Amino acid sequence: MARVTAKNSDIEKAANVLRAGGLVALPTETVYGLGANAEDPAAVARIFQVKERPPSHPLIVHIGGAEHLDDWVQDVPAAARLLAGHFWPGPLTLVLRRGPRVPLEATGGLQTVAVRVPDHPVALALLSAFDGGVTAPSANRFGSVSPTTADHVRAELGDAVDFVLDGGPCEVGVESTIVDATGDAPSILRPGGVTREDLEAVLGCPLAVPSTSRARVPGQHPSHYAPRARVVLVEPEKVVAEAELAQALGHQVGVFLPAAFTDAAVKAHAVVAVPGSMTAYARGLYGFLRELDQRGCDLIIASLPVEEGLGLAIANRLRRAAGPRPTV
């Protein structure tokens, strides 16, 4: 996928907005982020206000390179440096001990901070021009579907964002993998764009993916990444029958049709043929959810992919999308 390269004047404008305490929507390889100066508590507070995000939910600090890691964190273990060396820039976030440069507003009051280096030329150019760290959760309302294009950001947040830096569609399409590197052994707190298998190959040991953890990180709310339509998960072989039953009962049904069943004729309001490639599925996932919302579906029937490689991240997002809706 070809990336859009923003004009130098747009990058400098975005950097100036950050310096002035404003909010910039910026492209990354995963999703679009809602960025603020990581060292400006008032600007960070605006992120929570615009997203309607609980202040206890920590943010990720984006930095321009692994060489800047020690400017933001303390006591970096060897395993974290090894992972950063292999996967940065890239869709990997490391949770480490907070350095004094990071305000507690950005960490949800925790003494740990999540840090990553995005793998997108526009994001890296902005970080270089700004010459600082940028807190940037996904540029959408809290709990809703993450944006993977600049138009998604504009449609959802509108004038609440001071500047939208367009870098084209996101290549990975799901958020970064979050690894807790503060304990005796690293563990995956959120599956994402770097697979567990790739992490284990570098570390030379298995990684746990706990269903709950002592650390608070982005994406842990029971409902997250959710469209307006209710998402129901069923076994792959039951997708067609469940969709047709719900449609017969009066629902406007959207269907995520598994690759093995793409020849099936489904009586439903809207059908999305799920790619057989997990890379393509991850890249398109949030766009598919948005499409079914836009087509007026009130119910989405889907199944989970095999939970290996990027399938683990996709399954995680679908489970959260199907979870109870936030009450905050």
Side-chain angles (χ1 to χ4, degrees), residues 206-252:
L207 279 180
V209 188
S211 56
T212 59
S213 72
R214 59 185 174 81
R216 295 201 309 271
V217 295
Q220 281 186 320
H221 197 279
S223 174
H224 224 78
Y225 323 111
R228 292 189 300 274
R230 185 165 63 93
V231 177
V232 174
L233 301 176
V234 301
E235 295 299 319
E237 64 273 14
K238 296 181 180 179
V239 166
V240 173
E242 292 291 337
E244 292 187 341
L245 174 60
Q247 186 75 19
L249 291 173
H251 287 285
Q252 296 288 89

Side-chain angles (χ1 to χ4, degrees), residues 12-314:
E12 189 56 41
K13 180 177 180 179
N16 286 334
V17 170
L18 292 173
R19 294 185 189 105
L23 300 184
V24 172
L26 66 147
T28 77
E29 77 282 23
T30 57
V31 300
Y32 271 72
L34 182 61
N37 179 354
E39 296 178 85
D40 182 342
V44 171
R46 275 196 66 201
I47 288 179
F48 288 95
Q49 179 184 10
V50 167
K51 283 180 61 68
E52 301 171 4
R53 180 186 180 103
S56 60
H57 273 54
L59 307 178
I60 295 174
V61 175
H62 293 66
I63 60 177
E67 67 273 16
H68 302 300
L69 182 60
D70 291 295
D71 296 337
W72 299 91
V73 301
Q74 306 178 70
D75 304 329
V76 182
R81 293 200 189 276
L82 180 62
L83 292 175
H86 274 80
F87 295 108
W88 282 359
L92 174 69
T93 293
L94 297 173
V95 176
L96 296 159
R97 282 193 61 205
R98 178 182 73 92
R101 195 170 175 179
V102 183
L104 288 172
E105 286 82 356
T107 69
L110 302 175
Q111 293 301 322
T112 55
V113 62
V115 184
R116 90 174 185 101
V117 180
D119 185 17
H120 195 293
V122 174
L124 291 172
L126 174 59
L127 287 163
S128 176
F130 177 59
D131 194 24
V134 174
T135 51
S138 56
N140 57 289
R141 302 293 179 190
F142 178 70
S144 66
V145 181
S146 300
T148 53
T149 70
D151 284 343
H152 292 165
V153 178
R154 296 185 184 104
E156 184 154 354
L157 297 183
D159 293 340
V161 183
D162 298 307
F163 188 69
V164 177
L165 190 58
D166 193 341
C170 299
E171 290 190 359
V172 175
V174 293
E175 291 81 358
S176 60
T177 303
I178 300 180
V179 172
D180 182 2
T182 61
D184 295 333
S187 62
I188 296 174
L189 302 183
R190 180 182 71 183
V194 174
T195 68
R196 175 173 57 183
E197 293 84 352
D198 286 344
L199 292 167
E200 290 175 343
V202 169
L203 291 173
C205 63
L207 279 180
V209 188
S211 56
T212 59
S213 72
R214 59 185 174 81
R216 295 201 309 271
V217 295
Q220 281 186 320
H221 197 279
S223 174
H224 224 78
Y225 323 111
R228 292 189 300 274
R230 185 165 63 93
V231 177
V232 174
L233 301 176
V234 301
E235 295 299 319
E237 64 273 14
K238 296 181 180 179
V239 166
V240 173
E242 292 291 337
E244 292 187 341
L245 174 60
Q247 186 75 19
L249 291 173
H251 287 285
Q252 296 288 89
V253 178
V255 183
F256 272 25
L257 192 62
F261 299 90
T262 51
D263 291 335
V266 187
K267 297 176 182 176
H269 182 69
V271 178
V272 169
V274 171
S277 158
M278 290 298 100
T279 299
Y281 191 0
R283 184 183 299 135
L285 174 62
Y286 293 144
F288 298 153
L289 292 170
R290 285 177 179 273
E291 176 189 344
L292 294 182
D293 265 349
Q294 290 165 359
R295 294 178 68 177
C297 297
D298 60 42
L299 183 67
I300 297 172
I301 304 293
S303 63
L304 299 178
V306 176
E307 296 185 46
E308 58 187 33
L310 280 174
L312 180 63
I314 296 167

